[in-house]
Amino acid sequence: KTAGQNTLKPNIIKGIANQISHPFAYIINLVFQNSSVPDELKFANITPIFKAGNPAELQNYRPISVLSASSKILERLI
């Protein structure tokens, strides 16, 4: 639902899926052939979310990672 590192929201990607499907499939196939994920797909926006207790203590926060939509698609395929 939220945009990741590349700031493209998933609903935008769904809207242009027909136009980007062939280039994206090419990239995905290269990932499988080379057994290597491009560095651009490895980044995430990390936000600390407060759980409970004293807000001054770091252990009372949990990290939430927001990946880009293309990274999520690759993750599902793998």
Side-chain angles (χ1 to χ4, degrees), residues 48-63:
I49 302 295
F50 181 66
K51 294 187 293 186
N54 183 356
E57 296 180 14
L58 291 179
Q59 64 265 24
N60 292 332
Y61 291 85
R62 60 185 174 99

Side-chain angles (χ1 to χ4, degrees), residues 10-19:
N11 59 347
I12 294 172
I13 291 180
K14 285 181 184 179
I16 61 171
N18 290 335
Q19 291 82 8

Side-chain angles (χ1 to χ4, degrees), residues 22-42 70-78:
H22 290 293
F24 191 66
Y26 178 76
I27 293 168
I28 296 298
N29 286 329
L30 284 177
V31 167
F32 285 122
Q33 288 173 1
N34 298 329
S35 301
S36 176
V37 177
D39 289 337
E40 293 81 14
L41 296 178
K42 295 179 184 179
S70 52
S71 295
K72 289 179 187 180
I73 293 169
L74 176 62
E75 184 178 51
R76 282 196 170 186
L77 292 173
I78 290 175

